[in-house]
Amino acid sequence: MSRPSKATAVLGEEKRSHRTKAELRQRAAAENALITGKKMRERPEVKDNEKAHKEWQRIRGLLEAAGKNEALYEATINRYCMLHAECLDFERKRQSFSDQLDELTENTELEATDRYKYQAQMQKNILAVDKQLQTKRRMMLDIEKECAMTISAAMRSIPKTTAEPKNPLMGILNDDDP
């Protein structure tokens, strides 16, 4: 798979490209057409969740630094931040279950059969939380891929060559008006 085309800003910084000035102007115009000019807004549910809000601020800062603070990414980034907060909550729950399992293992007051039964139940709870956590992490990874692929796809959708100039001689032969 070939890598995506570089943005015109990158090509301008490198000061070397095989593209003509006309191609670069056309690519710059196409890139600018992909920008709404509006900044992302944080949804209320993200703002109310302390962990999600902190992740929102981090990602927004990164996107601003990259010049990608664009309203088109708003829904995806909000969803990503909520998933991040949910993952942190699941990790906290898993740790709590794990601590309780350790306490149960050290408890000598319970009969062995009861202790084994409770340990099995706690392990099932830990596995259930792990399964939910893995599902959330998979969703986060999909969003991360989507965002990267969306940006790459946007760069690939920009035409690499300018429109073919009309041959004036063919225009005269075909009796076209110039």
Side-chain angles (χ1 to χ4, degrees), residues 16-78:
R16 60 184 177 102
S17 175
H18 67 280
R19 292 175 175 78
T20 65
K21 290 180 182 178
E23 288 175 329
L24 291 174
R25 278 193 302 274
Q26 181 182 5
R27 286 178 57 80
E31 286 176 12
N32 289 333
L34 296 172
I35 299 173
T36 64
K38 297 179 182 178
K39 294 190 180 233
M40 293 188 305
R41 290 183 310 195
E42 186 176 16
R43 289 185 178 160
E45 62 268 17
V46 174
K47 195 176 280 191
D48 293 342
N49 187 316
E50 182 182 336
K51 295 171 187 172
H53 178 67
K54 192 172 183 178
E55 183 69 4
W56 168 268
Q57 290 177 322
R58 184 186 76 81
I59 292 175
R60 187 191 63 201
L62 292 172
L63 290 173
E64 281 179 3
K68 300 288 185 190
N69 187 352
E70 177 62 39
L72 291 174
Y73 304 121
E74 180 178 305
T76 306
I77 300 304
N78 275 295

Side-chain angles (χ1 to χ4, degrees), residues 27-154:
R27 286 178 57 80
E31 286 176 12
N32 289 333
L34 296 172
I35 299 173
T36 64
K38 297 179 182 178
K39 294 190 180 233
M40 293 188 305
R41 290 183 310 195
E42 186 176 16
R43 289 185 178 160
E45 62 268 17
V46 174
K47 195 176 280 191
D48 293 342
N49 187 316
E50 182 182 336
K51 295 171 187 172
H53 178 67
K54 192 172 183 178
E55 183 69 4
W56 168 268
Q57 290 177 322
R58 184 186 76 81
I59 292 175
R60 187 191 63 201
L62 292 172
L63 290 173
E64 281 179 3
K68 300 288 185 190
N69 187 352
E70 177 62 39
L72 291 174
Y73 304 121
E74 180 178 305
T76 306
I77 300 304
N78 275 295
R79 192 173 307 115
Y80 181 84
C81 292
M82 287 304 293
L83 284 170
H84 176 74
E86 290 170 7
C87 280
L88 292 176
D89 288 340
F90 274 119
E91 288 170 359
R92 185 186 49 76
K93 287 176 187 175
R94 188 196 181 290
Q95 186 60 45
S96 174
F97 282 138
S98 182
D99 292 343
Q100 290 174 5
L101 180 63
D102 291 343
E103 288 175 16
L104 186 61
T105 304
E106 295 170 3
N107 187 351
T108 56
E109 296 174 8
L110 290 173
E111 290 185 29
T113 56
D114 288 338
R115 192 171 52 232
Y116 293 141
K117 183 173 74 173
Y118 293 140
Q119 285 176 336
Q121 289 174 347
M122 290 299 280
Q123 289 172 345
K124 284 180 185 177
N125 289 342
I126 290 172
L127 289 174
V129 169
D130 274 344
K131 186 176 180 180
Q132 291 175 333
L133 183 58
Q134 289 304 319
T135 301
K136 300 280 185 194
R137 286 179 177 163
R138 192 175 308 116
M139 291 166 62
M140 287 179 67
L141 180 63
D142 289 343
I143 289 175
E144 291 166 1
K145 285 180 181 179
E146 177 188 336
C147 286
M149 287 177 14
T150 301
I151 294 167
S152 299

